Amino acid sequence: MAVSGNDGAAEAPLLEEETVEGMVDYKGEKARRSSSGGWRSAGFIIGVEIAERFVFYGIICNLITYLTGHLGQSTATAAKNVNAWSGVATLTPLLGAFIADSYLGRYQIILYSSLLYVLVIAIAIGGHKPCTQAFGADQFDGHDQEESKSKSSFFNWWYFGMCSGIGASFLILSYIQDNLGWSLGIGIPCITIVLALVVFLLGTNTYRYSTGGENGRRPFVRIAQVFVAAARNWRSSKTFPLTAQDEENTITSSLLSNKFRFLDKALRAELQHNQDCSELKDRSLCSVSQVNEAKAVLQLAPIWCSCLAYAVAFAQPPTLFTKQGSTMDRKIGSKFQIPAASIQVFTAISIIFVMPIYDRIFVPIARAFTNKPYGITTLQRVGCGMLIYTVAMALAAVVEKKRLEIAQNYGLVENPEATVPMSIWWLVPQYLICGFSDAFAVVGLQEFFYDQVPDELRSIGAALYLSIFGIGSFISGFIISVIDKVTSKSGGDSWISTNLNKGHLDYFYWLLAALNVVGFIAFVYFAKSFIYRR
């Protein structure tokens, strides 16, 4: 046990099991397991995420209604604009994560982003979103058996808390925006993010902070050096022989020998076993751990790409699902009418219901059979979610076909302002299934990209997961543009007509379901050959 004081007495060394490797406390001293990190610290960070999601979804969930109503945009144009805004908001985390991992650190980025959030949401989220999640997971030591299990649970409870904030946003802010005005609907999120910043600062003394990278070099530099060295040695047939010590440093020996062999060229040199890489300034070479880091990052690319079809489908609930609901009967009782965007709360409700069951019941049972800390692998979890989302899109197509038939039977096809006599509650099952899918796929992607990048790049890992949905939003906007132009080219009505009663959203949903199946097949193919870093 360490003894500290002001009397000049020497401090006894901390026992190895009391400290957390690679982490320090707010004083800059080695982080002690008993006095820093864990659920106490993670609770502050989850609280911040709840508030941040309340703010973000308070804007995006009803944005298509604002664009088509107040600004008079067509359905297709509004959907594209919402997708573009969402795409920017989920791609800027790549920049924020780079700055956090290479220069300022996660704590500082969260602090500055929270201040910026009050002014520019789409930009501030670039620093806030990837760093809060990575910083929260940093509070658990992956090398400790018990804390490793807690880290897995953290991603589940993180998403549980996040969806609680989203659900509150759907219910509260969408109603305020539709009935009391957008000024108040925007002002409340501003106050909320200020309160979130206060909560975050309250936990400062309890947090664990990550230290620097290998040999003081920034992680991006280490990885980039591998690709540069491999390119320089491209024509060489000679490779650097591995020693027994090198094999110990290898993340996975089969990863080094069987995947991306062209990067092994970065190991070319006559390096003496007692000689440091830095002594050979005129040679192009890297350490074994460097090459494996580069390979570990590179093998994420096929998984990332195969998830894009799922991300395109994921972009529909806040856009076309909401517009679809706005044409339906939204009354509760004789007078009260719910906002179309508020029905998205059932996605959050589904997640809130599923997450505790998954974490407290499914994982322990699965763990007993698989001996895996997480019950099933993260990629298996993602694959299940992707498949479930296909069911949601198919169901959305069936419900939309029913809505069109009712509009036809009641002679409402030419009257886009009329309410179709079909209850909005018909949409609830597809929202519930979307939430069920998200509990598997979204949480799985968060955990997967956090774990499979080098330790110093975990903010980038979170940003990579977010960028899937950013690119997916842009692809969704592109597909909507193409479908809108192609299906209206001969003078007919577009599938995504401003008058939804004359359109065919059901066809569009079937198309997305088919694309999701193709994406799922590609995902399974790449996932089967993926070699986990840990």
Side-chain angles (χ1 to χ4, degrees):
M1 182 70 66
V3 178
S4 60
N6 299 322
D7 56 0
E11 185 176 286
L14 294 174
L15 296 176
E16 185 66 27
E17 62 268 23
E18 292 181 339
T19 62
V20 182
E21 182 181 352
M23 306 297 288
V24 296
D25 61 17
Y26 72 103
K27 297 178 181 179
E29 301 173 352
K30 282 189 175 182
R32 301 180 64 172
R33 204 179 305 282
S34 60
S35 59
S36 67
W39 285 110
R40 175 181 52 180
S41 300
F44 287 107
I45 302 169
I46 291 176
V48 172
E49 179 65 10
I50 292 173
E52 188 273 334
R53 290 291 87 183
F54 176 84
V55 172
F56 179 78
Y57 276 89
I59 303 300
I60 195 173
C61 75
N62 214 17
L63 188 56
I64 193 169
T65 303
Y66 179 79
L67 295 177
T68 56
H70 289 70
L71 299 187
Q73 295 182 356
S74 68
T75 300
T77 300
K80 287 184 292 184
N81 288 336
V82 173
N83 284 330
W85 190 81
S86 178
V88 170
T90 44
L91 282 179
T92 51
L94 288 171
L95 176 61
F98 170 77
I99 297 172
D101 286 344
S102 298
Y103 299 100
L104 296 182
R106 290 161 198 150
Y107 177 86
Q108 296 291 337
I109 287 293
I110 296 171
L111 179 61
Y112 298 147
S113 296
S114 296
L115 294 171
L116 186 60
Y117 218 111
V118 179
L119 302 175
V120 194
I121 292 179
I123 303 300
I125 198 174
H128 202 283
K129 188 62 180 166
C131 295
T132 48
Q133 185 182 53
F135 191 58
D138 284 348
Q139 306 309 308
F140 302 95
D141 182 10
H143 300 287
D144 179 81
Q145 184 175 4
E146 290 304 315
E147 289 201 19
S148 179
K149 293 178 182 178
S150 294
K151 177 179 284 190
S152 178
S153 292
F154 165 78
F155 287 98
N156 294 328
W157 290 105
W158 166 274
Y159 205 57
F160 177 91
M162 188 179 86
C163 290
S164 299
I166 293 172
S169 181
F170 289 154
L171 289 175
I172 299 171
L173 292 183
S174 62
Y175 178 82
I176 291 173
Q177 290 160 358
D178 278 8
N179 296 279
L180 302 178
W182 277 82
S183 297
L184 183 60
I186 298 297
I188 291 176
C190 290
I191 297 172
T192 302
I193 204 65
V194 172
L195 295 176
L197 175 59
V198 173
V199 171
F200 177 70
L201 292 174
L202 288 175
T204 297
N205 292 355
T206 73
Y207 298 143
R208 294 173 185 170
Y209 304 85
S210 178
T211 57
E214 176 186 293
N215 297 327
R217 288 178 295 173
R218 302 191 188 282
F220 284 102
V221 174
R222 295 202 310 268
I223 293 173
Q225 187 180 16
V226 174
F227 289 93
V228 171
R232 286 178 177 174
N233 301 324
W234 183 256
R235 296 181 178 277
S236 174
S237 60
K238 189 175 183 179
T239 58
F240 175 51
L242 301 182
T243 67
Q245 183 178 2
D246 295 326
E247 290 289 354
E248 291 179 5
N249 292 332
T250 303
I251 297 171
T252 304
S253 58
S254 58
L255 174 64
L256 179 66
S257 58
N258 297 326
K259 301 205 100 174
F260 310 115
R261 304 265 329 233
F262 65 92
L263 290 181
D264 291 347
K265 299 287 185 179
L267 296 170
R268 183 188 70 83
E270 300 295 339
L271 182 66
Q272 300 297 321
H273 298 325
N274 61 350
Q275 195 170 14
D276 186 78
C277 295
S278 61
E279 296 178 18
L280 298 176
K281 297 181 180 178
D282 59 333
R283 308 235 181 168
S284 298
L285 58 91
C286 300
S287 68
V288 173
S289 61
Q290 270 183 272
V291 172
N292 279 315
E293 277 186 339
K295 289 185 175 184
V297 171
L298 188 58
Q299 74 163 347
L300 297 176
I303 300 295
W304 187 94
C305 291
S306 62
C307 290
L308 290 176
Y310 162 72
V312 172
F314 185 88
Q316 306 317 310
T319 53
L320 296 181
F321 279 20
T322 299
K323 193 61 182 174
Q324 184 182 8
S326 69
T327 70
M328 304 170 76
D329 182 7
R330 296 180 278 130
K331 286 185 178 179
I332 297 179
S334 59
K335 295 183 179 180
F336 185 74
Q337 180 169 278
I338 64 172
S342 67
I343 201 73
Q344 296 178 60
V345 72
F346 285 97
T347 299
I349 290 173
S350 177
I351 295 169
I352 291 170
F353 177 76
V354 169
M355 293 309 304
I357 296 175
Y358 183 91
D359 188 69
R360 298 304 181 188
I361 299 176
F362 175 78
V363 171
I365 293 175
R367 188 184 293 148
F369 288 96
T370 65
N371 292 322
K372 298 180 184 298
Y374 307 156
I376 58 176
T377 67
T378 49
L379 289 181
Q380 287 171 340
R381 183 173 184 174
V382 172
C384 289
M386 292 175 67
L387 202 56
I388 294 170
Y389 219 95
T390 303
V391 176
M393 296 310 300
L395 180 59
V398 172
V399 172
E400 174 61 8
K401 183 180 180 182
K402 178 70 174 177
R403 193 194 67 82
L404 290 174
E405 289 175 353
I406 293 176
Q408 177 74 35
N409 294 338
Y410 281 81
L412 301 176
V413 173
E414 300 295 336
N415 188 359
E417 301 300 324
T419 298
V420 177
M422 177 180 179
S423 174
I424 194 172
W425 303 114
W426 277 80
L427 299 181
V428 169
Q430 67 198 54
Y431 278 113
L432 290 174
I433 295 174
C434 286
F436 188 55
S437 166
D438 294 350
F440 281 83
V442 175
V443 181
L445 286 170
Q446 291 174 352
E447 191 169 359
F448 173 76
F449 280 98
Y450 176 87
D451 273 344
Q452 299 308 311
V453 296
D455 292 348
E456 300 92 344
L457 289 179
R458 283 173 171 169
S459 297
I460 283 291
L464 284 173
Y465 131 73
L466 289 168
S467 69
I468 293 174
F469 298 99
I471 296 298
S473 291
F474 283 117
I475 295 175
S476 174
F478 173 75
I479 293 175
I480 288 173
S481 294
V482 172
I483 293 294
D484 189 42
K485 289 181 181 179
V486 171
T487 56
S488 61
K489 191 172 183 180
S490 59
D493 292 301
S494 165
W495 285 6
I496 313 170
S497 172
T498 299
N499 181 357
L500 291 186
N501 296 336
K502 299 177 72 173
H504 268 294
L505 278 183
D506 54 335
Y507 294 170
F508 181 67
Y509 292 153
W510 281 120
L511 173 63
L512 295 185
L515 289 176
N516 209 35
V517 170
V518 173
F520 173 76
I521 293 172
F523 176 84
V524 171
Y525 174 80
F526 292 119
K528 287 174 66 176
S529 62
F530 187 86
I531 299 172
Y532 286 87
R533 183 168 175 263
R534 291 179 177 81

